Amino acid sequence: ALTQKSHCWRRIRNCAIRAVGGDENLCQYVASQQPSLGIVQKSKSFTNIQNGLGLFASRETFVKDNIPIAESTRLFLSINPKTKALGFVY
C-alpha cells in the first residue's frame, strides 16, 4: 500500500495486468490443501491420477504490459479525497 509522504509527488504513466488461471483439478488441489481449523496442520493427500499419486493439471498466465492510463484516471487520482493525500499529480 502507498503511504502519504510530504514533499512527494507521484505520476502514473503505464500499468501492467497479470492474470493467472488454472483448471478444475488445480482448483480442487489448492482447496484441499487449505489449513484446517484444528491444531494438527497435516496436509491431505491429493491425486487425480489412476493407479498412482500426483497431480495432472494445467495453468495459464497472461501478462499485458505498458497499458496507458487514461487522463481521466490520472485526474481522478489527483483530486479524489481517498487518494489526493498520496501526492498523485495530473
Side-chain angles (χ1 to χ4, degrees):
L2 292 176
T3 58
Q4 182 177 349
K5 295 180 181 178
S6 60
H7 305 295
C8 176
W9 293 289
R10 294 180 169 105
R11 184 179 309 271
I12 295 180
R13 294 189 179 108
N14 295 321
C15 72
I17 294 176
R18 178 184 183 136
V20 179
D23 70 354
E24 186 64 29
N25 291 318
L26 185 60
C27 181
Q28 289 174 357
Y29 170 74
V30 170
S32 74
Q33 300 303 306
Q34 296 297 320
S36 65
L37 297 175
I39 295 173
V40 178
Q41 297 291 319
K42 184 178 178 185
S43 295
K44 301 171 192 165
S45 64
F46 181 91
T47 183
N48 64 348
I49 298 175
Q50 292 181 349
N51 299 321
L53 293 173
L55 173 66
F56 187 80
S58 64
R59 181 178 71 174
E60 177 71 27
T61 301
F62 172 79
V63 178
K64 177 71 176 169
D65 291 321
N66 296 317
I67 300 170
I69 303 297
E71 286 185 35
S72 58
T73 302
R74 293 195 309 257
L75 176 61
F76 180 83
L77 288 171
S78 68
I79 63 173
N80 184 282
K82 293 182 179 181
T83 55
K84 185 176 182 178
L86 296 175
F88 288 102
V89 294
Y90 173 59

